[in-house]
Amino acid sequence: MTSSTPLPRIGFIGLGIMGSRMAANLAAGGFPLTVWNRTLATAEAFAADHDARVAGSPAELADVSDIVVTMVVDGDQVESVLLGPDGVASGARPGLLCIDCSTIGPAAAQRIAAGLDPHGIHLIDAPVTGSAPRAADGTLTIMAGGAAEDFALGRSVLDAMGRLVLHVGPLGHGQTIKIINNSVAAANALTVAQALLVGSDAGVDLDSLVAVMEAGSGSSTMLSLKAGPMRSHDFTPLFKLAHMLKDVRLCLDAAGVPFDAAQAAEDALREADELGFGEDDFAAILEAVERRSDRRL
Amino acid sequence: MTSSTPLPRIGFIGLGIMGSRMAANLAAGGFPLTVWNRTLATAEAFAADHDARVAGSPAELADVSDIVVTMVVDGDQVESVLLGPDGVASGARPGLLCIDCSTIGPAAAQRIAAGLDPHGIHLIDAPVTGSAPRAADGTLTIMAGGAAEDFALGRSVLDAMGRLVLHVGPLGHGQTIKIINNSVAAANALTVAQALLVGSDAGVDLDSLVAVMEAGSGSSTMLSLKAGPMRSHDFTPLFKLAHMLKDVRLCLDAAGVPFDAAQAAEDALREADELGFGEDDFAAILEAVERRSDRRL
């Protein structure tokens, strides 16, 4: 993008752990930015820190934006801020592009796109992977589904928030890939938790077990990221267990063929959630594994 | 090791896909080498290529060796060549060190060590990870269980075959760590196979799915190594499915707490084995996943 091309005006909805960091990168990238958040004080604090404006409603935000980015918790929230009373659709001009970075599953993405269509608003589903530190660094992986021309229009915005930005196919396919990825992550984390407990129960040196797995066929990103927190039972949230449980359920709902590893992860995440670990990092899936065998690492 | 220290004389038993490459690295490292193999012609061909001698039996091999390395298929074979008729124990002098690199499980390692003990022979269990290419490069991971003084005695031999060589604890703990690692690998491979089939069934671009997973939380060594062979149904063996099935079963036998992910892998590997894929690479675990859902990637 050359300096002569004016940057699109961005409206950003959802300033949580991820959204606040993503929006900060848009502000740092020079995009004119208007924000809205369900809790007004959060939006005002963000705007003061990042030279952004605060809108009084999603409709007002849409009125001053070329592209609206949403980063909220689930499909109901996306539907509410885009299509509900005082929602984006009620304030937008035709030609507005919505980029939803939330994880809501392919069915909700299709349903919301169908609701936006009569307003002349296009949707890209562009869920992200990578937790808060990568959101802060602008190094998220972003998998976008939608029409090629919409992806081209939103590309500069996505590039400001992510490092690997892929147009993966038509609308909804970003969602499908995201929830499969997260289900694999959850399954691999469950496997790590079980392996650590088996090793601990056998009395082997867990440093050696982890070192051997790291060096070869047993390695995974989940081993690298979660074995340490599991061993110290430090579940400071990078990605909340309740959110991972939601994503795995979306995947199981969408899957047309059995996904037994994801089902096993769903079972264990649900148990850990019921044990009270929903607000903790999903490394707390270990708690369900420990509970089942009545052993602790 | 300085040039004034004479290298120990090595007897190597088991010149299969892995053993032949490991023994070749010992020969290349200058260790005086005597080999024995159940099929004599294999031993003779190896000896001609690598300046080694061929022994007429494990007992004869032991008679001219300071350290005996075994790399065979299972515990029964290790027991046979070490403790059977014309076995190593019948030809060895007290003080011989045996290094078993086979994967036999901790119970068999303990049993064999107990059988060697009256002969004054010590045992290290030193299973390896990494397939044929890493055996050829001398870059295996080797996890050794046994007494510290035995590990020190065998260290130069292990270093000639592996890159990461760890003394992980007492006798048997190398085995325990190995079979946990392989079970994690099998479980992760099963998860990859299921994820690919779910994605394929949903019609998403598998290049994008794999790229997203590789970039983040869904990544694993199994994804990197096996997604390609799975997608092309190319099961040229790097590590045979029947051997992986054996290792996972050893782990389930040894585990004192539930290891559900390994059990799921055992189920799928057994099904693939029954479908005739035992001699193929364990990436053929995909065949069981496909069979269950009656879909092909």
Side-chain angles (χ1 to χ4, degrees):
Chain A
M1 181 167 298
T2 66
S3 57
S4 62
T5 309
L7 292 173
R9 297 169 301 160
I10 309 299
F12 201 103
I13 295 177
L15 298 166
I17 292 174
M18 296 294 285
S20 60
R21 288 162 173 79
M22 294 160 66
N25 280 318
L26 295 176
F31 292 91
L33 186 63
T34 305
V35 298
W36 184 84
N37 195 71
R38 195 168 45 176
T39 305
L40 179 64
T42 305
E44 289 176 336
F46 179 92
D49 286 348
H50 295 93
D51 190 25
R53 296 195 302 169
V54 177
S57 70
E60 282 185 35
L61 174 138
D63 183 51
V64 297
S65 299
D66 303 307
I67 297 177
V68 170
V69 181
T70 45
M71 185 62 181
V72 295
V73 169
D74 56 30
D76 287 347
Q77 288 191 13
V78 176
E79 198 152 12
S80 170
V81 297
L82 294 185
L83 295 167
D86 278 328
V88 164
S90 65
R93 280 154 298 187
L96 181 78
L97 176 65
C98 288
I99 301 176
D100 178 36
C101 296
S102 322
T103 300
I104 66 176
Q110 296 286 0
R111 189 174 65 244
I112 292 164
L116 292 171
D117 187 63
H119 300 274
I121 302 172
H122 289 196
L123 178 66
I124 293 174
D125 64 305
V128 307
T129 63
S131 49
R134 285 178 58 196
D137 294 345
T139 59
L140 293 168
T141 293
I142 305 181
M143 55 225 79
E149 57 271 28
D150 293 332
F151 178 74
L153 197 60
R155 178 82 203 217
S156 65
V157 178
L158 299 173
D159 282 341
M161 300 186 293
R163 182 167 53 194
L164 176 64
V165 176
L166 292 171
H167 182 217
V168 300
L171 188 81
H173 283 206
Q175 290 295 331
T176 301
I177 286 178
K178 167 68 192 283
I179 58 184
I180 292 174
N181 174 76
N182 276 24
S183 296
V184 168
N188 289 355
L190 176 59
T191 298
V192 168
Q194 292 176 355
L196 291 174
L197 200 65
V198 168
S200 169
D201 180 71
V204 300
D205 176 53
L206 293 187
D207 286 342
S208 295
L209 174 61
V210 170
V212 165
M213 292 198 291
E214 287 276 11
S217 55
S219 189
S220 65
T221 300
M222 288 299 101
L223 177 71
S224 304
L225 295 183
K226 303 303 181 188
M230 286 178 183
R231 291 176 63 188
S232 57
H233 292 83
D234 174 5
F235 303 131
T236 307
L238 290 176
F239 188 66
K240 287 182 184 176
L241 189 141
H243 291 172
M244 181 58 99
L245 175 57
K246 179 204 71 168
D247 291 358
V248 174
R249 285 175 167 164
L250 286 172
C251 186
L252 290 168
D253 287 345
V257 294
F259 196 170
D260 294 341
Q263 185 58 62
E266 198 269 344
D267 290 343
L269 290 167
R270 188 184 60 247
E271 289 175 36
D273 187 44
E274 290 168 357
L275 290 169
F277 293 93
E279 295 300 306
D280 289 289
D281 190 79
F282 71 92
I285 196 170
L286 171 70
E287 293 283 339
V289 175
E290 290 180 328
R291 176 71 159 246
R292 288 171 180 180
S293 57
D294 201 23
R295 303 282 171 91
R296 297 281 281 179
L297 264 193
Chain B
M1 182 168 299
T2 66
S3 56
S4 61
T5 309
L7 292 172
R9 298 169 300 159
I10 309 297
F12 200 103
I13 294 176
L15 298 168
I17 292 174
M18 296 293 285
S20 61
R21 288 162 172 79
M22 294 160 67
N25 279 318
L26 294 178
F31 291 90
L33 186 63
T34 305
V35 298
W36 184 84
N37 196 71
R38 195 168 45 177
T39 305
L40 180 62
T42 305
E44 287 174 338
F46 179 91
D49 286 349
H50 294 92
D51 190 25
R53 295 195 300 169
V54 176
S57 70
E60 282 185 35
L61 175 137
D63 183 49
V64 297
S65 299
D66 302 308
I67 296 177
V68 170
V69 181
T70 45
M71 185 63 182
V72 295
V73 169
D74 57 27
D76 286 347
Q77 288 192 13
V78 176
E79 198 151 13
S80 170
V81 298
L82 294 184
L83 295 167
D86 279 327
V88 164
S90 65
R93 279 155 297 188
L96 182 79
L97 176 66
C98 286
I99 301 176
D100 178 37
C101 295
S102 322
T103 300
I104 66 176
Q110 296 285 359
R111 191 174 65 243
I112 291 164
L116 292 171
D117 187 63
H119 300 274
I121 302 172
H122 289 195
L123 178 66
I124 294 174
D125 65 303
V128 307
T129 63
S131 49
R134 286 178 57 197
D137 295 345
T139 59
L140 294 167
T141 294
I142 306 181
M143 55 227 76
E149 58 271 28
D150 293 333
F151 179 73
L153 196 61
R155 179 82 203 218
S156 65
V157 177
L158 299 172
D159 282 341
M161 302 186 292
R163 182 167 52 196
L164 177 63
V165 176
L166 292 172
H167 182 216
V168 300
L171 187 82
H173 283 206
Q175 290 295 331
T176 301
I177 286 177
K178 167 68 190 284
I179 58 184
I180 292 173
N181 175 76
N182 276 25
S183 296
V184 168
N188 288 355
L190 175 60
T191 298
V192 168
Q194 292 175 357
L196 291 174
L197 200 65
V198 169
S200 169
D201 180 73
V204 301
D205 176 52
L206 293 188
D207 287 342
S208 295
L209 174 61
V210 170
V212 165
M213 291 198 291
E214 285 278 11
S217 55
S219 188
S220 64
T221 300
M222 288 299 101
L223 177 71
S224 304
L225 296 181
K226 302 304 180 188
M230 286 178 183
R231 290 176 62 187
S232 57
H233 293 83
D234 174 4
F235 303 132
T236 306
L238 290 175
F239 187 66
K240 288 182 184 175
L241 188 141
H243 291 173
M244 182 57 99
L245 176 56
K246 179 204 72 163
D247 291 359
V248 174
R249 284 176 168 164
L250 285 171
C251 188
L252 290 168
D253 287 345
V257 294
F259 196 170
D260 295 342
Q263 185 59 61
E266 199 269 343
D267 291 343
L269 290 167
R270 188 184 60 246
E271 289 175 34
D273 188 43
E274 289 168 358
L275 291 169
F277 293 93
E279 296 299 306
D280 290 290
D281 190 79
F282 71 91
I285 196 169
L286 171 70
E287 293 283 338
V289 174
E290 291 180 329
R291 175 73 158 245
R292 288 171 179 180
S293 58
D294 201 24
R295 304 282 172 90
R296 298 280 283 179
L297 264 193

